[in-house]
Amino acid sequence: KDMPHPLTGGPITTWYEPTETWGSKFGKVSSGYEECRADGVALYLSTFEECLEILLPGRKEVWDDIVYGMWLQTTFSGLTGLKYYSPETQEWGQAHVCASFALLQVLIEAGNGMIKIEETTKDGKPYMYYHLDRTQIHTTGKKAIGEFLRKLQIYKSLGEVEEGTKFFEGYTKVNEDFLRYRTIVLENKTPDWVELQHDFKRTDDGNVEYVKFEESFEGIIKSQVYHYRDTFEDVYAVWSLYKDHFKYKASQ
């Protein structure tokens, strides 16, 4: 009980009661907060050669490119993910995108020009180019993400809801500039991907034959029918097992 607060140096005044959990204590902010912590840890650990040696042994020549691609994809998702933000309710529709946006804001706040968003025009309408200075990943980026993660972890570990929520939401708030970027993102939105899966079948002579379906909505339906050729009871059992994962989309 004599341990000082890691951030303030003062006494620790918050903690988890026996009946409390992370989710129940932090409520609606917990999902985005935890996604942000997880993605931030991934970015931070990617700057250590020991981690890369475990995940990509013997491929040192591509480490820098893979780390750059990881940092670029994660933070760029925070920009393109603005389509999931609602200005009316000031809420994010996806926790993972909210997390990416927070990490993007951390690197913008870090300064040194590590992140640059260039507004321009393309095909007669507003457009943007996103720039991430890869030479600063191991310096500016690593330091900023490390300090951010330290605070996220401390607030979570101490159950410090008020300060933790205030801290996290400060990085998920969408200002006027990013509301403008959101409009550009929506104007340049591309159709969502719809995946079509082909299949294989064994012929009467024992060979394996590739089964291909037409790249259309009709082809997708036919492929699903082909994939699930069992009885209704068997297919229904599989659907019942996973139906809750698709509840939101099914209601749209």
Side-chain angles (χ1 to χ4, degrees):
K1 66 179 181 180
D2 297 326
M3 176 181 175
H5 193 290
L7 296 177
T8 68
I12 294 175
T13 58
T14 60
W15 49 79
Y16 290 90
E17 298 292 347
T19 59
E20 291 179 325
T21 65
W22 156 250
S24 68
K25 199 169 183 69
F26 279 74
K28 69 176 184 178
V29 76
S30 62
S31 294
Y33 193 113
E34 188 63 10
E35 287 284 356
C36 188
R37 197 175 67 92
D39 287 351
V41 167
L43 293 181
Y44 188 71
L45 291 182
S46 73
T47 64
F48 291 87
E49 289 191 355
E50 296 90 336
C51 298
L52 296 174
E53 186 61 56
I54 293 172
L55 298 174
L56 301 166
R59 300 177 60 190
K60 193 169 184 176
E61 71 280 0
V62 299
W63 283 0
D64 284 343
D65 286 341
I66 291 176
V67 170
Y68 170 62
M70 177 184 178
W71 281 63
L72 179 64
Q73 181 179 19
T74 300
T75 56
F76 184 60
S77 295
L79 182 62
T80 58
L82 283 165
K83 61 186 177 182
Y84 296 108
Y85 176 78
S86 170
E88 292 75 24
T89 62
Q90 297 185 359
E91 293 182 346
W92 289 89
Q94 288 191 7
H96 192 76
V97 172
C98 175
S100 295
F101 184 82
L103 293 169
L104 170 61
Q105 297 305 308
V106 170
L107 296 185
I108 291 176
E109 182 184 73
N112 292 334
M114 183 175 181
I115 300 289
K116 292 181 181 179
I117 300 174
E118 176 188 352
E119 293 185 68
T120 182
T121 58
K122 183 178 181 180
D123 299 327
K125 60 181 181 180
Y127 196 74
M128 292 182 293
Y129 288 105
Y130 180 78
H131 305 274
L132 167 65
D133 184 354
R134 65 189 295 168
T135 66
Q136 296 193 54
I137 288 177
H138 288 78
T139 53
T140 304
K142 181 180 181 179
K143 180 181 179 182
I145 294 296
E147 292 177 351
F148 177 67
L149 284 173
R150 177 171 175 264
K151 292 179 180 179
L152 282 183
Q153 185 62 55
I154 290 173
Y155 290 135
K156 177 182 179 180
S157 298
L158 298 181
E160 202 163 347
V161 178
E162 184 175 347
E163 286 300 317
T165 299
K166 180 181 177 181
F167 175 72
F168 179 65
E169 289 186 339
Y171 287 95
T172 62
K173 184 178 180 180
V174 180
N175 62 26
E176 292 298 321
D177 286 339
F178 278 87
L179 285 176
R180 186 174 68 255
Y181 297 158
R182 178 180 179 273
T183 300
I184 298 175
V185 168
L186 291 175
E187 289 180 350
N188 291 276
K189 182 181 177 181
T190 56
D192 292 335
W193 280 55
V194 179
E195 294 187 1
L196 170 65
Q197 294 183 336
H198 303 295
D199 212 326
F200 294 92
K201 71 175 182 180
R202 186 179 296 277
T203 60
D204 294 336
D205 57 6
N207 292 319
V208 176
E209 184 177 295
Y210 184 54
V211 181
K212 189 174 182 180
F213 300 93
E214 179 184 340
E215 295 184 3
S216 64
F217 288 112
E218 182 178 355
I220 292 173
I221 294 172
K222 288 182 177 179
S223 71
Q224 292 300 308
V225 172
Y226 187 87
H227 297 329
Y228 298 101
R229 290 172 288 170
D230 298 324
T231 65
F232 171 79
E233 288 74 17
D234 292 332
V235 175
Y236 182 76
V238 174
W239 176 82
S240 298
L241 185 62
Y242 298 105
K243 63 182 176 64
D244 290 338
H245 297 287
F246 305 97
K247 191 172 184 181
Y248 173 78
K249 288 190 175 182
S251 65
Q252 301 302 302

